[in-house]
């Protein structure tokens, strides 16, 4: 198959387009992108008949910053009559390799979200019709996906089970904790889920760890750290939530995050300051190269234009500095569902 459909946050189509074109070319699978602004997805088209399979074999999904989910395209169906949606889906999937399960998805746009009723209604008849085609989970490397733009316009394809987001729509559904002081609390929770491999999470995030939260007020990120039993130094001139301070696990310092220096190494550094991304990255570089923290999660605000190019430059520089300091690290970055015009980055020691 030649086409790869990739979903993204609406408005960031040109960024995922630039990113996938560069990374696909570097993986030896050149191609071009078809995209429309604010549609929440793009289609990468390789120059060879099997470009899409090659690309998902060669490019780890986790290396894509602006992608939410992807699928190798089998067919783009545009129905004239709404009556039968199941047959063209069966026909497309019958021609492809072994799969198990089927995701019904839609773009993260207002139009897309209004399709969730339709997909729920379709689930039962479609899954029943598909089951004779499915292989056992152990034998199938793919999950089928039908991506709806409307009731009569949808893309049918396959997502590689081991090289894709584990969540159908590309992000975990999280509930706002009632005692957390801000919505942005979900950014840190999502960052941990998206950026740290599942088998390492409980090793990296533990009770009694020490953490520093730079730009902490009112305390949404601090809430996550406290909730996991950590002791937190919250650095911010603004006021912290009273309930959090009453936990006895938070020390609030009204200091400048750019000059604060911890007295000894902490386990976690988190930083959600609205500042020039290059300046935040430099601050993170200082903490990591001086060994002031073991793990870091931070946000980088995106510029108005050429967002991918700027992010790429900043992260390349950060990697170069960590390499030059002889640090063995892992770095993961993603534009999260709970992020606004920003991306979130995790850096930690390289797993052994
Ligand atoms: N993560 C917080 C939460 O979940 O509640 C929200 C952080 S808010 C987006 C950014 C914070 O950074 C503001 O409270 C602001 O006062 C703080 N800030 C900005 N510049 C700072 C600096 N130089 N030093 C310390 N805090 C700073």
């Amino acid at each position: 198959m030649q086409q790869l459909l990739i979903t993204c946050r609406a408005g960031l189509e040109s960024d995922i387009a630039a990113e996938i074109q560069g990374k696909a070319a570097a993986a030896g699978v050149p191609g071009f992108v078809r995209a429309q602004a604010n549609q929440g997805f793009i289609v990468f088209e390789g120059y060879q008949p099997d470009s899409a399979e090659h690309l998902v074999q060669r490019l780890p999904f986790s290396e894509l910053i602006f992608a939410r989910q992807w699928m190798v395209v089998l067919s783009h169906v545009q129905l004239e009559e709404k009556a039968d949606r199941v047959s063209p889906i069966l026909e497309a999937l019958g021609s492809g390799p072994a799969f198990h399960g089927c995701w019904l998805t839609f773009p993260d746009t207002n139009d897309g979200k209004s399709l969730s009723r339709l997909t729920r209604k379709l689930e039962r008849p479609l899954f029943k019709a598909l089951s004779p085609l499915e292989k056992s989970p152990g034998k199938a490397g793919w999950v089928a996906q039908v991506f709806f733009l409307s009731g009569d316009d949808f893309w049918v394809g396959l997502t590689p089970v081991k090289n894709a987001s584990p969540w159908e729509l590309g992000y975990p559904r999280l509930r706002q904790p009632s005692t957390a002081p801000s919505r942005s609390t979900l950014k840190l929770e999502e960052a941990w889920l998206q950026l740290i491999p599942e088998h390492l999470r409980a090793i990296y995030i533990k009770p009694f760890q020490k953490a520093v939260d730079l730009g902490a007020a009112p305390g949404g990120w601090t809430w996550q750290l406290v909730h996991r039993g950590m002791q937190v130094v919250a650095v911010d001139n603004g006021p912290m939530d009273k309930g959090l301070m009453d936990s006895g696990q938070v020390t609030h310092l009204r200091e400048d995050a750019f000059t604060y220096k911890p007295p000894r190494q902490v386990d976690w550094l988190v930083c959600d300051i609205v500042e020039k991304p290059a300046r935040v990255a430099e601050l993170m570089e200082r903490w990591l190269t001086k060994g002031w923290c073991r793990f870091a999660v931070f946000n980088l605000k995106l510029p108005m234009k050429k967002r991918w190019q700027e992010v790429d430059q900043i992260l390349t520089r950060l990697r170069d500095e960590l390499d030059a300091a002889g640090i063995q690290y892992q770095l993961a970055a993603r534009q999260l569902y709970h992020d606004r015009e920003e991306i979130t980055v995790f850096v930690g020691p390289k797993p052994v």
Side-chain angles (χ1 to χ4, degrees):
M1 278 71 79
Q2 218 162 338
Q3 294 178 318
L4 192 63
L5 187 148
I6 309 177
T7 55
C8 64
R9 181 191 165 106
L12 300 183
E13 294 80 9
S14 58
D15 303 290
I16 180 62
E19 182 180 19
I20 193 69
Q21 266 183 292
K23 290 184 176 170
V29 189
F32 64 96
V33 166
R34 297 178 198 277
Q36 276 180 46
N38 300 312
Q39 295 292 296
F41 75 101
I42 62 151
V43 176
F44 171 84
E45 191 155 332
Y47 296 126
Q48 304 298 327
D50 47 8
S51 287
E53 288 106 306
H54 279 162
L55 192 49
V56 300
Q57 276 160 13
R58 292 184 199 166
L59 178 62
F61 180 79
S62 57
E63 287 183 10
L64 291 171
I65 295 173
F66 287 95
R68 291 247 173 102
Q69 187 56 282
W70 64 5
M71 70 173 188
V72 170
V73 174
L74 293 169
S75 172
H76 180 191
V77 180
Q78 287 170 302
L79 293 176
E80 284 181 11
E81 266 184 53
K82 280 190 189 158
D84 179 19
R85 300 192 178 98
V86 173
S87 302
I89 298 174
L90 285 185
E91 194 183 318
L93 289 169
S95 68
F99 67 92
H100 179 84
C102 181
W103 290 342
L104 304 185
T105 59
F106 37 83
D108 182 14
T109 58
N110 289 338
D111 284 352
K113 283 180 194 143
S114 69
L115 290 165
S116 64
R117 262 205 21 223
L118 169 102
T119 56
R120 273 201 303 272
K121 233 174 74 186
L122 192 61
E123 268 177 11
R124 195 192 277 245
L126 179 62
F127 293 175
K128 197 165 155 218
L130 279 180
S131 74
L133 291 182
E134 292 184 52
K135 293 284 179 293
S136 65
K139 290 201 182 127
W142 304 87
V143 56
Q145 193 181 160
V146 187
F147 179 72
F148 286 90
L149 299 181
S150 72
D152 47 14
D153 185 348
F154 47 89
W155 296 72
V156 185
L158 293 164
T159 294
V161 176
K162 293 206 174 124
N163 190 22
S165 169
W167 299 283
E168 300 181 13
L169 297 175
Y171 56 88
R173 285 182 187 275
L174 302 176
R175 195 177 301 155
Q176 172 71 19
S178 61
T179 53
S182 68
R183 285 271 318 152
S184 57
T185 192
L186 296 181
K187 267 194 271 180
L188 182 55
E189 187 176 3
E190 187 188 348
W192 277 335
L193 291 171
Q194 291 258 24
L195 304 176
I196 303 178
E198 192 177 357
H199 65 286
L200 294 172
R201 262 176 239 145
I203 302 171
Y204 292 178
I205 305 165
K206 288 201 263 198
F208 307 111
Q209 286 179 321
K210 305 259 184 279
V212 169
D213 184 352
L214 298 178
W221 287 31
T222 295
W223 187 94
Q224 292 289 341
L225 301 162
V226 165
H227 184 64
R228 282 164 182 77
M230 298 187 199
Q231 292 290 331
V232 186
V233 173
V235 183
D236 201 307
N237 264 319
M240 290 294 286
D241 177 73
K242 183 167 175 323
L244 264 182
M245 298 309 297
D246 289 346
S247 69
Q249 288 167 249
V250 183
T251 307
H252 181 192
L253 300 180
R254 291 181 184 275
E255 288 187 32
D256 181 0
F258 288 89
T259 52
Y260 171 76
K261 184 178 164 204
R264 59 191 71 82
Q265 188 189 57
V266 295
D267 300 291
W268 280 94
L269 167 67
V270 299
C271 176
D272 183 26
I273 292 178
V274 185
E275 244 294 346
K276 285 201 188 80
R279 190 162 181 237
V280 171
E282 244 170 63
L283 179 64
M284 298 300 106
E285 179 190 309
R286 188 177 337 136
W287 275 71
L288 290 158
T289 55
K290 290 191 188 288
W292 292 350
C293 63
R294 294 168 58 217
F295 306 101
V297 170
F298 53 95
N299 268 340
L300 297 177
K301 306 296 158 196
L302 292 169
M304 299 293 280
K305 280 188 286 186
K306 301 218 168 200
R307 291 166 285 234
W308 156 245
Q309 287 82 347
E310 175 143 353
V311 160
D312 189 36
Q313 255 174 27
I314 290 174
L315 292 181
T316 301
R317 195 196 123 93
L318 177 61
R319 287 179 203 273
D320 289 347
E321 295 298 325
L322 295 175
D323 286 337
I327 294 174
Q328 300 287 311
Y329 63 92
Q330 57 179 315
L331 185 153
R334 179 144 293 216
Q335 204 279 320
L336 303 177
Y337 177 72
H338 292 95
D339 277 338
R340 289 171 187 275
E341 297 292 313
E342 59 201 351
I343 63 158
T344 302
V345 186
F346 163 72
V347 184
K350 205 183 177 94
V352 279

